[in-house]
Amino acid sequence: MNKERAKVKYMNANKVLPGKLLMEIQKYVQGETIYIPKTETQYQKWGTSSGGRQLLDLRNATIRNSFISGSSIQQLAEEYHLSTETIKKIVYTSKK
């Protein structure tokens, strides 16, 4: 089974790292690709940059309000094209 490979952005260490740091890293790794994760403070949750998270939060708030106003789980599932289980998760899970 062929799977599409994820696009990986490579950077040449010579262009982004100071020489002394590069020499130190070369003591451990040479000619290999390594992943350097973002610091925890730089990490963003899914959809934060694109606005997708905000749209889903707004949709879920609307679903909760409709449920409180009397719409049934089934009605909401049909209206939002979601499963009844997904609607239940949205309306029965409190927003933090």
Side-chain angles (χ1 to χ4, degrees):
M1 176 191 262
N2 284 335
K3 293 186 178 181
E4 189 175 321
R5 297 181 77 171
K7 290 184 178 182
V8 179
K9 183 178 175 183
Y10 294 99
M11 299 180 97
N12 187 327
N14 287 322
K15 294 181 181 178
V16 295
L17 299 177
K20 288 183 180 182
L21 178 57
L22 182 57
M23 288 172 51
E24 187 65 26
I25 292 171
Q26 286 173 327
K27 292 178 184 177
Y28 302 94
V29 179
Q30 292 185 23
E32 299 290 331
T33 303
I34 61 171
Y35 171 74
I36 301 173
K38 291 181 179 181
T39 59
E40 217 172 289
T41 58
Q42 294 293 317
Y43 178 75
Q44 293 182 335
K45 290 185 178 183
W46 175 89
T48 303
S49 296
S50 68
R53 177 80 266 153
Q54 186 178 5
L55 289 174
L56 285 178
D57 288 344
L58 180 61
R59 179 204 68 184
N60 292 350
T62 304
I63 290 171
R64 280 189 205 91
N65 290 334
S66 295
F67 181 72
I68 290 167
S69 298
S71 295
S72 72
I73 300 287
Q74 187 62 42
Q75 288 170 327
L76 292 168
E78 291 172 10
E79 181 178 344
Y80 288 93
H81 305 286
L82 298 169
S83 71
T84 55
E85 291 305 312
T86 298
I87 296 294
K88 287 178 185 178
K89 286 178 187 175
I90 292 169
V91 299
Y92 295 132
T93 302
S94 62
K95 179 73 177 148
K96 294 178 182 177

